[in-house]
Structures are given as structure tokens and as C-alpha cells.
Amino acid sequence: MGVEHLVVMGVSGTGKSTVGQALADRLGRPFLEGDALHPAANVAKMSAGEPLDDDDRWPWLRIVRDEMTERTAAGTSTVVACSALRRVYRDLLREAQGDVRFVLLDVPAGVLRDRIVHRTGHWMPPSLLESQLATLEPLQPDEDGVVLPVEGPPEGVVDAAIRALTPHA
């Protein structure tokens, strides 16, 4: 079996980090936090309430892609949290060595707003949610991935992800 990278994706507040870490733990893989790979200028811009544009995102996405490729070279599958909002961003991530699959976390907008308003310790302000929702392009039928409604605790979402990603005999 080859190296596989699962990219847990979606807008801010969907639970990418929580679900991604739990999925990595369950699968015995390292977890890569995409937010931790943002250049300082991106973090400053978002912290100031300014949405990123493509000029901001491309260098960051290349870093994420290159991290996955480095793990492939070491023979290591990963789970990655990365918004991957647009198809062209996912196309770039798919350039990484190894199989790249996506898990889109689907959370109703009202729930997202509530989560973001009440979370602490994150630099992304609630004001940027609308720009992310407007940017999000759902997975297309030809993209290797699954869309998961986020209902209940993270463990249930992880169970659903594993069921959806596992080939049936």
C-alpha cells in the first residue's frame, strides 16, 4: 500500500483541526496543522480581519504540498488540516507525491457562526467566515474525497470518515 495523505478541509470553524488530529490518532499517522504553516504575513492579515487573496494563499499551499511530499519521501502517510477551499487549491495539493484524498467537513453556516464567535485562542476573527463561505467550492465528483456532515462528537465524524474512505470488498 502506498503513501496516502488525507486532507481534512472546509471553512473556519468546521473542526478541521479537532477531527484531523483524532483521525490521525486513529490511523496512527502524523497530523499536519495547515494553519501552523501560514507565513507570518498571512496570520497578521487574517488577525486584522482581512481575508486572504490568491497571492497570499499560493505560497502557503505550496508549503503544505511540499510538507506532504517530504512525508511521502520518508514513506509516511499523514492527515492534514487545510481549508483547501477552491478546486484550484486542491489541484495544487494533489501535486504532492503520494495519494491525496479530501475529507470536506460540512457544517451549517449558523452552527459555524456560533462556533467561531465562542471559540478562544484562534487568530481568525468571525468576520472572515462569510468570505470563506463565498470562496468554498464543494468537492466535485471527479475529486477523490468525501463530504461529511458534522453531527455529534468528533469521534463519530472520524468513524464516518473511515467508513467513507475505506474501499468496500
Side-chain angles (χ1 to χ4, degrees), residues 1-155:
M1 184 168 190
V3 173
E4 175 188 71
H5 305 288
L6 297 177
V7 179
V8 180
M9 59 169 286
V11 300
S12 186
T14 56
K16 294 182 297 292
S17 298
T18 301
V19 170
Q21 182 66 65
L23 186 58
D25 291 346
R26 181 87 61 87
L27 296 173
R29 299 180 182 182
F31 175 66
L32 300 176
E33 175 56 72
D35 281 348
L37 300 174
H38 269 293
N42 285 8
V43 174
K45 188 172 184 178
M46 289 184 283
S47 295
E50 295 179 50
L52 298 181
D53 58 27
D54 282 352
D55 289 338
D56 302 314
R57 286 189 180 106
W58 289 121
W60 167 64
L61 289 164
R62 286 184 195 100
I63 293 168
V64 175
R65 176 201 61 199
D66 294 348
E67 284 286 325
M68 289 189 291
T69 293
E70 284 182 28
R71 300 300 173 107
T72 300
T76 305
S77 295
T78 65
V79 176
V80 181
C82 178
S83 54
L85 298 176
R86 295 182 56 213
R87 167 84 186 232
V88 293
Y89 304 159
R90 296 188 296 271
D91 290 344
L92 180 97
L93 294 175
R94 273 190 288 273
E95 292 175 4
Q97 298 298 308
D99 293 328
V100 179
R101 304 179 75 194
F102 296 91
V103 178
L104 172 58
L105 300 181
D106 186 23
V107 179
V111 173
L112 289 170
R113 287 181 192 93
D114 186 61
R115 284 182 177 185
I116 292 173
V117 165
H118 291 99
R119 77 177 171 186
T120 58
H122 198 282
W123 38 261
M124 179 132 169
S127 61
L128 294 182
L129 177 60
E130 296 308 318
S131 70
Q132 285 205 332
L133 289 170
T135 302
L136 178 63
E137 296 173 358
L139 288 173
Q140 298 303 301
D142 65 327
E143 292 185 274
D144 189 359
V146 296
V147 178
L148 291 179
V150 176
E151 300 168 345
E155 297 78 23

